[in-house]
Amino acid sequence: MAIEVRVPTVLRKHTEGERRVSGDGAHLRDLIDDVGDRHNGLRAALVADDGSLHRFINVYVNDEDVRFMQGIDTPLSDGDVVSILPAVAGG
Amino acid sequence: MTTVQSRREFHLDSDTYDDLVAHARSDVPYEVCGLLAGRDGTLTAHYRIPNAARSMTLYNMDPKAMLHAMNEMDDNDWDLLGIYHSHTHTEAYPSSTDIELAFYADAVYLIVSLQAPDAPQIRAFDIVDGQVSERALVVDGERASRSLIPRNARRAGSAGEQTSGESR
């Protein structure tokens, strides 16, 4: 099972500059663990201490924001594309 | 909070400048937001992104619209040059929330202020690790002063008073 992860510019320091990496996982959490094992720092950039996704990181499975799915427990399928984007927000 | 006046510049063409002001005015009193993409410092695309917060004091880019814009940039090998939002009632300076949530250190943060409705102002900032440094905004090759009134600044409803947009 292969899932493509699109990595934003700001996180490419963790992927040796690669804009796309691939990984495996039945759920988003497993995928993050898998790519995090190979790309040091990526997991900490995405997951908070309590095990949930950071509040200001948007993660999408295909086109859907996982906040509106099952968050870090969202199930994944072969061929899914996971995109990561830090939020753009302010006051 | 310290602000460093940097010697760096941020270049806009006047059409884009006017578009940013028009966008800011389009949803008063709510804040608007968007992205500017380019290559080698030249703008290639302007994305108006819906403000999911639809607030007078906050903006939060609609996640899906932002994803589509970012993917298009990535697919075209464009850089994210600028992130803009409006302040409808305060000056064109990053708020504490703007600084706290500035996750894109490589992009320039632009703020369009409508504090003086007839004299909108755009200022440009680098926000890196909580440090704010202002860039000189250059419009069509000319440095914009802080009191710059864009060429098409006009009161709503009095557009006919200006027969030409070229009045510099």
Side-chain angles (χ1 to χ4, degrees):
Chain A
M1 171 152 142
I3 294 158
E4 180 184 271
V5 181
R6 293 185 77 145
V7 183
T9 315
V10 287
L11 295 181
R12 286 179 199 160
K13 61 189 171 201
H14 303 302
T15 60
E16 294 76 48
E18 292 295 321
R19 61 175 68 191
R20 290 156 199 252
V21 297
S22 67
D24 290 318
H27 296 87
L28 180 58
R29 183 188 305 277
D30 309 319
L31 174 73
I32 292 173
D33 283 343
D34 180 49
V35 296
D37 284 345
R38 272 169 286 124
H39 303 286
N40 199 21
L42 203 52
R43 188 178 189 282
L46 301 178
V47 181
D49 291 341
D50 69 359
S52 62
L53 289 169
H54 277 302
R55 186 174 162 209
F56 292 106
I57 289 277
N58 298 338
V59 179
Y60 309 81
V61 173
N62 302 320
D63 246 11
E64 291 302 322
D65 187 334
V66 298
R67 269 190 212 96
F68 303 111
M69 300 167 79
Q70 293 164 57
I72 199 165
D73 296 313
T74 300
L76 301 174
S77 306
D78 193 22
D80 279 346
V81 176
V82 170
S83 304
I84 303 165
L85 286 178
V88 183
Chain B
M1 196 65 59
T2 51
T3 304
V4 177
Q5 187 70 43
S6 91
R7 272 182 268 175
R8 303 182 74 184
E9 296 180 336
F10 188 81
H11 288 255
L12 277 181
D13 58 87
S14 56
D15 286 345
T16 304
Y17 187 104
D18 292 346
D19 279 350
L20 297 188
V21 172
H23 187 201
R25 284 179 163 153
S26 69
D27 205 24
V28 170
Y30 302 112
E31 295 193 4
V32 303
C33 51
L35 301 171
L36 298 174
R39 183 183 281 156
D40 303 327
T42 301
L43 293 183
T44 51
H46 168 197
Y47 301 93
R48 294 183 176 201
I49 308 289
N51 176 5
R54 197 130 196 277
S55 159
M56 292 162 63
T57 54
L58 295 171
Y59 77 99
N60 185 9
M61 287 197 178
D62 175 80
K64 198 175 270 194
M66 181 173 77
L67 175 70
H68 292 159
M70 295 283 200
N71 281 348
E72 185 172 291
M73 289 180 215
D74 210 34
D75 292 342
N76 285 293
D77 228 1
W78 296 337
D79 298 318
L80 173 62
L81 297 183
I83 293 172
Y84 73 89
H85 73 286
S86 61
H87 283 177
T88 50
H89 296 88
T90 55
E91 65 174 329
Y93 190 83
S95 66
S96 55
T97 314
D98 292 334
I99 296 166
E100 184 190 343
L101 301 182
F103 300 118
Y104 290 81
D106 293 335
V108 172
Y109 284 80
L110 301 165
I111 300 175
V112 186
S113 170
L114 300 179
Q115 187 177 30
D118 297 331
Q121 184 180 68
I122 302 179
R123 290 167 69 184
F125 303 89
D126 292 297
I127 308 176
V128 180
D129 296 331
Q131 179 83 18
V132 177
S133 53
E134 183 160 9
R135 288 191 181 219
L137 188 66
V138 177
V139 181
D140 284 351
E142 292 180 22
R143 282 209 177 199
S145 77
R146 289 196 188 172
S147 59
L148 178 86
I149 298 173
R151 287 170 294 131
N152 69 348
R154 59 184 71 142
R155 285 175 187 277
S158 65
E161 290 171 15
Q162 289 191 343
T163 52
S164 167
E166 302 295 326
S167 60
R168 64 180 151 157

